[in-house]
Every structure is written in structure tokens, then in C-alpha cells.
Amino acid sequence: MGRSWFRRRQVGLGWRPIRWQGWLVTVLAVALAVGTLTILHGSSARVPIVILIVAVYAAVALATGGARPVEAAVPEDQPIEGEAEIGVGGVEQRLALRALTSGRVSPSSPGEPALVVEHLTKRFGERVAVDDVSFSVDVGEVFGFLGPNGAGKTTTVRMLATLIAPTSGTARVAGLLLDPANGVEIRKRIAVMTENPGLYLRLTVAENLEFFAGLYELAQPQARIGQALAAVNLTGRANDPCGCLSKGLRQRVALARTLLSDPAIVFLDEPTSGLDPVASREVHELIDGLRERGVTVFLTTHRLEEAERLCDRVAILNTSLRTIGRPDELRDRLFTKALVVRTAAPLASPDAVFAVAGVDGWRADDTSRYVLTVSDTRVAAPAVTRALVAAGADLLSLAEAQHSLEDVYLELIGDDVEAAR
Amino acid sequence: MSRKRIISVVRKEVREFRRNRFVIGTMAVLPFIFLITPMITIFRIPASASGPEVKAAVGVISLLLLIIPIAIPPVIAAYSVVGERDQGTLEPVLTAPVRASELLLGKAIAAFLPSVAIAYAIYGVVLISVRFGAAHVVSSVVFHPPQLLAQVLFTPLLALWSIWVGIGISTRASDVRVAQQLATVSSLPLLGFTSLLSFQLIKPSVPIAIGLALALLAADIAAWRIVSRLFDRERLVTGHRRTDASVRD
């Protein structure tokens, strides 16, 4: 949209010209009206012609008029940030987040999980999108939902958000049975940030949030909008049209929108998709902040390092649920424990050196790098160190072999993805 | 049914329309096109014109004026659902606690208000022009009470019908342009109804005007209910028809 010729008045009706085109149209309209009244003096046609001129002028003002300046949705004592994109982890942001979540009471009964999913299945025609998935998420937990493209992650979120109906299976969302009759009530208790921020680009940031504040029927919407914007450090951008914002900023507006209603469960679908590392870190800090405030976060992501860093537990899905647990639990479950030993020179008789308590076997990765399979690293590591010293070996390093969540993921899903290709 | 949620939808829609030049352009230009012919016709009728001649001319004017509330709303209404889906804003709205009936009513009101305001404004311009500029014979036909009542009552009711047709198509269409074209075409049968009135094939009398208006009102309410039922969240989000337990609201 080009620059406006007119601007709506802050108070009352009407527009006022703000650019030369606006002034030109105004002068022309006045001249035409005065000219008509003068030239057609005495003619009965002059009144309708003048009305027509006024109507055309109003239409032009309406067509080229900009937005009414929106009052900053920010408390007066809130400092306004400049154009710079500053992290969301600051004290002010945390205070705003605290203010946003201060009135929340868990809708689930004490001890009841925030989310219980039992045998959830969704078919689209012959295609099975989600197959017999069961899990539960505790109140205040950050739960990661991982899987390749088309694994059914978004479909699961849509079912839990009452957008689509499961083919079979049940769930309890924020204490309510997933049922058509509870649709509105469930949606009041949750918030979903879709992968696409889904903002109205012609509206300003504050107007986007105002709309959703109205849908959630929030009391004191302006105060909450101010807090939500402060929580994502967008206070200074409240009156900017969303179409002018970068992708990172749009993502932050979408996050502010999810925080508005102080939901019991926040569903974040790929919240850092397409964001640069700095913007991603800001989102991570915000999720950490939500965890601290006891908000249950259901995080769908492709980014395994993100899940490892943020999530208390993760579930790996590929149509059906492959595994679920804490990241370290999954590693222990899938991979045997190992120690990696590096020496300055190859050992003369490694069999003799590694024949100590806790070591189940060994293999040489390199001429002077050995990987030892162990049953318990706390027993094996001191024993191996002593044996190496006793053997006169020049020990460079001895470390526990690390398996990342990525290793777990690839172990479980890698073959499926390869087969699908 | 929440009034607050409906008002929020109306306010958002109106804000969007105001900044959408296509919508503003259509709403500004179309009425003027329909205004030109009546204005010329009014001023060309001589004071000596016979009764049937005047009635025929006023019939054309009346028809053109009733086309405005039929022609303008589909442009906006047809965009309302499929347009949101295209720009990716529909899914976040559907995850909010708004019922389909509230969302659609809000969208309908937002399309209704400017359409009817424009239609009444144009009608007002014509009435003022007739009062001050046209021959007395024209004035006596235009200001005939049943004619005035029919015009005043049918303008909003026809607009509302046209809006529900537009929204109904929008909930099922796959593309904004297709929806707008279909909605415009679907509104055309209403022209037959307006022609019967305009050319006085149905003689406008106060009881007939009120009776037809009540019938149209009932049809509008039924259309709202039907369109709300057509609104299928699953289909709108995934493109697949709902096949099992409904999650309608």
C-alpha cells in the first residue's frame, strides 16, 4: 500500500490531508463546490451536484486515507525501545511475562496432567496421518514433539486444538475431554502459535492483538496487550503495520498473541522456523520464561538441538509414536555407554590394559584412540586411568562418549526417512 | 453467542477493508456507476411526461438502486473466508474461542454496514435530486410511500442475502477470485425479484412490502444458520472433508 494522502483523525469522524495530493484534492473539491453554487445560482440542480462533489471527495479520502493512529498499547511507565531488535530475556521482559501469567490458575485438577492423549488416530481417506498415539504432558512441562516432515506433528496439534476431529482415540486437554461440545472452552484454555505467524498484514501490531484480545474476551485488553508486547520486546512497534515487519518480528508478534490470554497450555509449532540464531535464542529465552512461570509448553520442532536445550521430555513421532522420555533417558536407552581414550602413542598391549573392572570390551578407532564399552562409567573411568598410568601410557584424554538427541533421532527415524526417499 | 467476540470480528474486518484498495475502489466506484443513469434519467423527464412513462423511468431507477446492495457485498463477503485462508490468518483465528456462527455473523455485519450505508447514501442523493431538481410528476412517483418503504426495507435485506451467498461460497471455494465471481453470479437471480418490484409487476403496497420484507428476513436468518453449518474447520484447515465426529464450534 502506498503512502496515505489523508489521515484519519484521532478523535471523531473525518480525515485531514497530510500530503500534497490530499491538499490538491481538497482544494479542487472546495473550488468545484463553490464554483457550482456560484455559476448555477438559481438552478435547482446545484444542490445534488454539490452533494455529488462532497461524496466523491469523501470516497477519495476513504480510499487513500491511512489508519487512525492507534494509542500505544503500553503502560506509560514502560520504556519504549528503538528500532533495534533486542533480546527478550531482559528484566523488563521477564517482569512483563510475570505480569501476564500472574493470574493463572491451573484448570487441571491437582496432580492431573495438562495433556493426556490416548490412542489418538487420524486418517485422511486411506492415508493414516497419526496412528494410535498415546502420551501425557505434566503441568509446567516443556514437551518436545519431534519428527520428520509429514510425521503427523501438526495434525496432532490440530486435533488437540479442536481444529480437526480425531478418527479415533481420546484426549484430555487442560482438564477437558476433547469433544465437540468442549471446543470453545478448550480453546479458551490453550493458545496455538502456528508455523505461519498468520498476522493481518494491513493491521498494526496492536490492532492484531486487539482482535485476539476481543476473541478471548479479555478484561483490560489494552493492559494485557502492553504486557504481551513488553514480554516479546515489541513495545516500540505497537503501531507499525505487520506488513512492514521482518519475519523474526512477525514471529514475535505471533508469540505475543499466544501469551495474551494467559493459556494453560501453549502449542508452539516450529516457533523458530526461518529465524536467525539471535531471534531463535530470543524465542528460547521466552520459552524458558514460560517454563519458570509454570506454563505447559508443547513444542513441535525439527531442530533437535533446540529440543535438547529446552525440553524436559521429548516424543519422537513418525505417524506412530517411536519413543518418549527425557533426552538423557533416550540416549541411555538406545546407546551403550562408552569411554573414549586418547593416548600419545599406540598402546603395546591394549587387551591387558583394558582388562579392568567395568570395561566390557574395546575397539581401536584410530592408532591411538580407543572406544571402550562400559557398564558403568563411574566405575570404569578411574580403573582405566589407573591401568593406563600403570602401563606407562601417555594419556591425552579420557572422556565419556556423548550421544546427542540427533543420534537418538537418526537411530529411530533415519531408516524411515531413507526408505521414504 | 458473544457480542464482544462479534464486535471484535466486525472491527477487525472494517479496519482491513479500509486499508484494502481493491475493496475501497469497488465500493467507491460501483455506486457512482449506478448513480449516473438515474441522475440523467431524472433530469431528462419533462414535466409534461405521461404517468406510464414516468413510472417506467422510475422503475429503471429503482432497479438500479436495488442492484447496489446486491452487487457490492459479494465483493467483500466472498473474500471473507477463503481470503483469510489464502493469507494464512484463518488457522490462528480458528484456534481462538470463537464459534463459527459468531465469526461469520461478524464478517457479515462488517460487509453489511458499508454496503447498506452506500446504498442508502446513493438513494438519499437520488431523493434529494428528485426533490430539488426533477419535475413534479417524477417526485410524486418516487415519493409514493409504498415505493419508499419497499426501497428502505429491501435494501438491507437484499444486501444480507447477497452477503450470506458470498460467505457460503467463500467457505467452500478454493480461490478468492473464483469465490468473488461465483458470488456475483449467484446474486444475479435476486435481480428478477427486484425487477418485479421496480417495474411494479408486483404492485408495491405497504402490506406487500412488509410481507416480502419479513420473508426476506426469514430467508436471511436461515441462510446464516445454513452457512454456519457449512463452515467446516477441518476442510478449511486441511482441505479434507470432515468424515467423522464433528468439531464444528
Side-chain angles (χ1 to χ4, degrees), chain B residues 18-95:
Chain B
R18 284 193 48 243
R19 293 167 207 173
N20 186 333
R21 290 205 169 162
F22 173 71
V23 171
I24 291 290
T26 308
M27 294 181 90
V29 171
L30 264 183
F32 285 110
I33 292 171
F34 286 110
L35 185 62
I36 292 167
T37 309
M39 294 295 261
I40 293 170
T41 311
I42 285 166
F43 290 108
R44 283 183 62 190
I45 298 173
S48 57
S50 66
E53 277 176 359
V54 175
K55 279 187 178 172
V58 170
V60 172
I61 294 169
S62 173
L63 177 64
L64 287 169
L65 292 175
L66 283 174
I67 288 176
I68 295 172
I70 296 172
I72 295 177
V75 177
I76 306 170
Y79 179 83
S80 60
V81 178
V82 70
E84 287 229 25
R85 198 179 71 178
D86 275 6
Q87 64 179 8
T89 52
L90 188 62
E91 190 166 346
V93 172
L94 295 182
T95 62

Side-chain angles (χ1 to χ4, degrees), chain B residues 166-224:
Chain B
I167 293 179
I169 288 169
S170 190
T171 60
R172 292 301 168 111
S174 56
D175 180 82
V176 175
R177 281 163 300 182
V178 171
Q180 284 174 333
Q181 286 157 10
L182 279 177
T184 307
V185 170
S186 305
S187 301
L188 290 180
L190 279 177
L191 287 178
F193 173 75
T194 54
S195 303
L196 294 177
L197 286 166
S198 303
F199 295 109
Q200 301 196 1
L201 295 171
I202 297 175
K203 284 275 184 199
S205 67
V206 172
I208 285 179
I210 291 174
L212 286 174
L214 286 174
L216 260 178
L217 183 64
D220 287 339
I221 292 169
W224 171 37

Side-chain angles (χ1 to χ4, degrees), chain A residues 307-318:
Chain A
E308 185 147 31
R309 170 181 164 343
L310 292 170
C311 298
D312 299 312
R313 285 189 308 144
V314 296
I316 297 178
L317 181 84
N318 197 8

